[in-house]
Amino acid sequence: MPRATNASASWRRRKRIIKASKGYRGNRSKLYRYAADAQDKARYWAYRDRKTKKRNFRYLWTTRINIAARALGITYSRFIEGLNKANVELDRKALAHLAEHDAKAFEQLVVQAKAALPKEAKVAA
């Protein structure tokens, strides 16, 4: 009995990898062996960097909030503590947006946070 290789399925699989590697430089877009390696690595980086992107954005939001809060005379940690004690449930993304685009609303939040802090914390800040 002759050996069956299912050539059409193999060819389709190779064609799919080569098509997905379009735009890569050199052999990585032309030859299956290198294109498959490039695709594996690209998928690994995409998965990893979806997680990293979340971390980077949270860091950016924290920085923006800190800059805006310090301009109004309170540190980031005291600001967040005051918001928690005042039961203001805004996430860092929303706070950063307010800090950047709506300074008056952010200033009202700072006043609210300062009012909710205990007196000894206000002296230290």
Side-chain angles (χ1 to χ4, degrees), residues 17-120:
I17 295 290
I18 294 291
K19 188 176 178 184
S21 301
K22 188 176 180 181
Y24 292 2
R25 293 184 59 146
N27 288 344
R28 294 161 67 95
S29 67
K30 306 260 188 302
L31 304 178
Y32 172 75
R33 176 180 174 178
Y34 302 109
D37 288 343
Q39 281 300 301
D40 288 343
K41 203 161 250 198
R43 282 191 293 267
Y44 165 77
W45 285 332
Y47 176 80
R48 183 197 66 186
D49 290 343
R50 281 195 296 275
K51 313 281 181 263
T52 308
K53 184 169 79 168
K54 293 169 179 61
R55 188 180 335 151
N56 289 341
F57 267 103
R58 186 176 170 103
Y59 178 77
L60 175 68
W61 297 332
T62 302
T63 304
R64 285 180 177 167
I65 296 166
N66 190 24
I67 290 168
R70 282 179 186 268
L72 297 171
I74 189 170
T75 63
Y76 170 80
S77 60
R78 291 288 175 207
F79 175 60
I80 295 297
E81 180 188 2
L83 288 179
N84 288 336
K85 290 190 177 178
N87 292 324
V88 176
E89 294 184 6
L90 285 174
D91 61 1
R92 281 153 183 80
K93 182 179 181 179
L95 289 171
H97 183 78
L98 285 175
E100 191 176 2
H101 298 290
D102 192 0
K104 289 184 180 180
F106 188 79
E107 191 173 345
Q108 289 175 348
L109 285 172
V110 169
V111 169
Q112 205 173 353
K114 282 182 180 178
L117 287 172
K119 291 188 177 161
E120 64 273 2

